[in-house]
């Protein structure tokens, strides 16, 4: 299965702990996007990354949140000192290229459901 | 003004009817347009993409694009209860930054 993979699928953290969410893009895809979705709400863009570069982080909260997409390995969304308001579904999507926008489409992973106790 | 706007619904249609979902976008330079379906508790799933004015058909789904009026629509013919989901409209401006803008989604209920 060459789809977008995310792990863990469910993550429970206590307030003040750190959450690390992982995303492996589809094979051949070099662009990764992270979204957050609160219950009964739409997708909120967080960050867009290419390998070793953050392209657009305009949707990331200024504090406690960070993202990376290293040369080797999955993309990581890191939330430090989690609070109850961080409880949400976090989706990762990937796409193949920047220039060929006519063939670009974002494909979503299954998501990570974060619950902060 | 939001980049992409959708009526949140819910839109209720009887089984077998045509469901019509609409979406408007604010930036005229937008280049590519997508419809995703999201079942409750699941991730978004791509249904259709459209790039040119006019209609694009795929099975029971037809996407319509009108760039002059800046709207995109999705028609679902012969609606089935399994079509009940939230439908997300997404727009790609096609500039150097491959960023998608999503609407908040329209919830569709197809009643048996």
């Amino acid at each position: 299965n060459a789809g977008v993979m995310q792990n863990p699928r469910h993550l429970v953290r206590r307030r003040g702990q750190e959450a690390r969410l992982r995303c492996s893009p589809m094979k051949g895809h070099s662009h990764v996007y992270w979204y957050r979705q609160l219950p009964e709400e739409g997708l909120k863009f967080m960050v867009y990354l290419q390998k070793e570069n953050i392209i657009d982080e305009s949707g990331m909260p200024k504090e406690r949140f960070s993202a990376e997409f290293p040369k080797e390995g999955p993309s990581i969304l890191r939330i430090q000192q989690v609070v109850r308001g961080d409880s949400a579904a976090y989706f990762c999507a990937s796409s193949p290229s920047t220039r060929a926008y006519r063939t670009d489409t974002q494909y979503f992973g299954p998501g990570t459901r974060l619950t902060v106790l | 003004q939001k980049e992409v706007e959708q009526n949140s619904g819910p839109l209720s249609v009887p089984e077998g009817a045509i469901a019509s979902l609409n979406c408007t976008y604010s930036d005229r330079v937008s280049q590519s347009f997508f419809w995703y379906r999201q079942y409750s508790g699941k991730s978004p799933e791509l249904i259709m993409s459209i790039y040119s004015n006019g209609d694009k058909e795929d099975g029971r789904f037809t996407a319509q694009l009108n760039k002059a009026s800046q709207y995109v629509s999705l028609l679902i013919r012969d609606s089935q209860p399994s079509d009940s989901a939230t439908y997300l409209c997404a727009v790609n401006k096609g500039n150097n930054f491959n960023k998608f803008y999503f609407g908040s989604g329209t919830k569709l209920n197809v009643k048996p």
Side-chain angles (χ1 to χ4, degrees), chain B residues 57-88:
Chain B
E57 187 174 319
D58 183 0
R60 295 187 297 112
F61 299 99
T62 298
Q64 299 175 319
L65 174 61
N66 184 323
K67 289 188 176 182
S69 300
Q70 294 176 235
Y71 82 77
V72 195
S73 61
L74 180 70
L75 301 177
I76 307 174
R77 289 182 300 281
D78 188 25
S79 296
Q80 302 296 309
S82 59
D83 294 326
S84 298
T86 296
Y87 290 80
L88 303 170

Side-chain angles (χ1 to χ4, degrees), chain A residues 92-105:
Chain A
C92 168
S94 71
S95 69
S97 71
T98 301
R99 302 292 179 184
Y101 66 83
R102 281 186 176 266
T103 59
D104 270 356
T105 302

Side-chain angles (χ1 to χ4, degrees), chain B residues 8-71:
Chain B
S8 61
L11 172 67
S12 292
V13 299
E15 184 175 357
I18 296 176
S20 177
L21 304 160
N22 299 311
C23 167
T24 58
Y25 58 95
S26 61
D27 195 335
R28 281 191 176 277
V29 303
S30 299
Q31 298 285 343
S32 46
F33 307 86
F34 305 85
W35 283 100
Y36 288 81
R37 176 176 62 197
Q38 186 177 25
Y39 291 112
S40 181
K42 301 295 184 182
S43 61
E45 171 193 12
L46 179 69
I47 300 175
M48 298 274 294
S49 59
I50 186 167
Y51 305 102
S52 304
N53 278 327
D55 295 359
K56 179 182 177 182
E57 187 174 319
D58 183 0
R60 295 187 297 112
F61 299 99
T62 298
Q64 299 175 319
L65 174 61
N66 184 323
K67 289 188 176 182
S69 300
Q70 294 176 235
Y71 82 77

